[in-house]
Amino acid sequence: MERIAAYARGAQARRRRARKRLHAYFATLFPSLCPHHRHHLVFFFNPLLPSWINFPIVLFRDMGLAREYEFLTEIGLGPRNVGGYINGVWKACGPVVSTVNPANDQVIAEVVEASIEEYEEGMQACFDSAKIWMQVPAPKRGEIVRQIGDALRDKLPQLGRVVSLEMGKILPEGIGEVQEIIDMCDFAVGLSRQLNGSIIPSERPNHMMLEMWNPLGVVGVITAFNFPCAVLGWNACLALVCGNCVVWKGAPTTPLVTIAMTKVGLMVQQTVNERYGKCLLELSGNNAIIVMDDADIQLAVRSVLFAAVGTAGQRCTTCRRLLLHESIYQKVLDQLIEVYKQVKVGDPLEKGTLLGPLHTAASRNNFKNGIEVIKSQGGKILTGGSVIESDGYFVQPTIVEISPSADVVKEELFAPVLYVMKFQNLKEAIKINNSVPQGLSSSIFTRRPDIIFKWIGPLGSDCGIVNVNIPTNGAEIGGAFGGEKATGGGREAGSDSWKQYMRRSTCTINYGSELPLAQGINFG
């Protein structure tokens, strides 16, 4: 018995030593897997065989991911994830937060947030790295961004699926959002060879004037929940090829997002202004579509449906207000109500779904309370207007007939609620369009060139995005994205938005031996 006990003790010791070696071995195989997750590796081996014969069969013990979320492992995610990537290492020891599937109110996974100390460490690493990164030639920086785009392409379906799962937008929109950041990578690669300055003729002989664009150093990006990765792409891709390092803060899920983000934006602007820094704000939108009496009504109805219902009304470019010429008012409204009744509401990952859930329970409650405010201000619910009883945060797509002067029209409910109103002529329609504090996106449906050019001219829309015969949402990356007034005035993505991520220097070079002064000044 003693010999058997001694043999058993020896076998246990061998198993412990082997397990320790294997943990070390798999730490080298899976460096991105945190020790907590490596602890769940289960090894099967025969302790009686020589160590060189033992080949471990590695299985993952059930770590809490539901079967429908198992695809997350394909992109390196598990039931508990480290939320900070600092100085080349995944690390975080702050609070643990849960991410919830808005379609069924079930926890998807947990994320360990970075601590204040880790944030400071990351910022210092960014400032140190920026000194090196800004000296790398811009086309070489573009090559790195190209590789980022290729890596995203390889995981496009999985990444699009996780965007839809966590945010609640339908799968085609989730995949489209990831495609947007891939497109931004491609755009930035080309841009990396076109960060051009200007040569300016000098009034002085033997002098040359030119403009130089240099990196800012470190760029911080704060993104909202509704576009968790696309907005990062708009900013980070440009900032990187411009020679900056980037710090990204993803969105906490909070109620009253639009109001909160606007207030946060104002605080950010004030704080940055105090140190004379540069600030790019893209805040709230309260966007209108105008349908003139000569419009293609079928085209307008399809556009309004996507603009008002897409992403469950949670885009900053969502159509909130529909302005219909009085002569076609009822005709357009009847068609729109009919297509609204055909909208499939359900799981955003299921094929055919057009309207997924709102992002949070608080958003659903905000919708419910907002409907009561609408009714109290004279709004008439034409279709929808109710919460859908389910485990998820679903609401009905809603159309409301209301006066353009109602106070609630001036605000964003950030839900699939569309206000409809009449107008008599173009001048009145433009006045209504411009009557809200926000100025992000706008669109008009007409076939008349004179109306089009008035609409896009100095007495037309006061928004940053002024469309014709297309929805207010779904902007391409090639144009500058952003708005005026309470929207913040910033511009992201295409055109010359890259200039906001750099500082401009005007350089005058004297290559002669004389010192002529500008404006013909003779100073002794």
Side-chain angles (χ1 to χ4, degrees), residues 106-416:
Q106 299 298 311
V107 173
I108 302 169
E110 293 178 334
V111 176
V112 183
E113 294 183 329
S115 65
I116 294 297
E117 292 76 19
E118 287 164 333
Y119 163 79
E120 295 293 348
E121 178 188 348
M123 288 303 302
Q124 187 57 54
C126 259
F127 282 111
D128 293 343
S129 300
K131 298 173 185 176
I132 301 171
W133 181 245
M134 64 177 56
Q135 297 183 70
V136 175
K140 298 294 184 183
R141 300 194 295 254
E143 168 60 18
I144 300 299
V145 173
R146 184 194 66 79
Q147 294 175 35
I148 294 172
D150 286 347
L152 293 171
R153 277 189 182 89
D154 290 342
K155 298 294 183 181
L156 175 59
Q158 297 93 327
L159 290 169
R161 193 173 182 86
V162 75
V163 169
S164 297
L165 174 67
E166 188 173 38
M167 189 272 152
K169 62 179 64 177
I170 62 174
L171 185 57
E173 288 188 280
I175 292 174
E177 179 174 349
V178 180
Q179 183 62 51
E180 192 164 354
I181 191 172
I182 293 170
D183 293 344
M184 278 303 307
C185 287
D186 291 345
F187 179 86
V189 173
L191 179 66
S192 69
R193 294 179 180 271
Q194 300 178 60
L195 301 173
N196 303 323
S198 301
I199 302 295
I200 305 166
S202 174
E203 65 183 66
R204 291 171 282 187
N206 299 322
H207 282 60
M208 173 68 71
M209 293 179 63
L210 54 89
E211 288 182 342
M212 285 287 296
W213 291 91
N214 288 301
L216 297 175
V218 176
V219 170
V221 181
I222 303 173
T223 57
F225 77 87
N226 55 343
F227 280 87
C229 67
V231 176
L232 171 69
W234 297 348
N235 291 275
C237 294
L238 298 189
L240 286 170
V241 297
C242 287
N244 305 291
C245 288
V246 177
V247 179
W248 178 29
K249 181 188 181 301
T253 297
T254 54
L256 305 175
V257 171
T258 303
I259 296 173
M261 284 303 294
T262 301
K263 290 182 177 179
V264 169
L266 291 173
M267 289 189 292
V268 168
Q269 187 175 45
Q270 290 167 2
T271 302
V272 173
N273 285 344
E274 287 176 0
R275 58 178 177 80
Y276 303 102
K278 296 181 72 171
C279 192
L280 190 164
L281 297 178
E282 200 280 284
L283 304 173
S284 57
N286 192 350
N287 316 294
I289 288 179
I290 298 171
V291 183
M292 298 298 296
D293 54 353
D294 70 316
D296 182 330
I297 292 178
Q298 187 176 10
L299 179 65
V301 168
R302 289 172 54 201
S303 298
V304 171
L305 179 67
F306 173 60
V309 175
T311 325
Q314 296 172 113
R315 291 187 182 220
C316 51
T317 51
T318 290
C319 178
R320 313 277 175 206
R321 299 173 293 144
L322 177 60
L323 284 54
L324 301 175
H325 191 277
E326 59 182 4
S327 67
I328 58 168
Y329 181 83
Q330 200 59 49
K331 183 178 182 180
V332 175
L333 200 52
D334 289 344
Q335 291 189 26
L336 192 60
I337 291 173
E338 184 62 30
V339 296
Y340 258 58
K341 292 178 179 178
Q342 299 173 29
V343 170
K344 180 182 176 182
V345 182
D347 186 338
L349 296 178
E350 287 185 4
K351 187 176 181 180
T353 299
L354 291 182
L355 180 63
L358 294 177
H359 185 53
T360 63
S363 299
R364 181 182 58 189
N365 292 336
N366 193 35
F367 167 87
K368 188 175 181 180
N369 296 333
I371 293 296
E372 295 305 313
V373 173
I374 288 168
K375 291 178 180 177
S376 71
Q377 295 186 13
K380 178 182 177 183
I381 308 299
L382 301 180
T383 186
S386 299
V387 168
I388 298 174
E389 296 302 326
S390 68
D391 293 332
Y393 313 138
F394 296 96
V395 300
Q396 294 176 336
T398 301
I399 299 176
V400 177
E401 191 173 55
I402 196 168
S403 167
S405 61
D407 289 340
V408 71
V409 175
K410 306 294 192 292
E411 303 170 356
E412 269 193 300
L413 187 53
F414 227 66

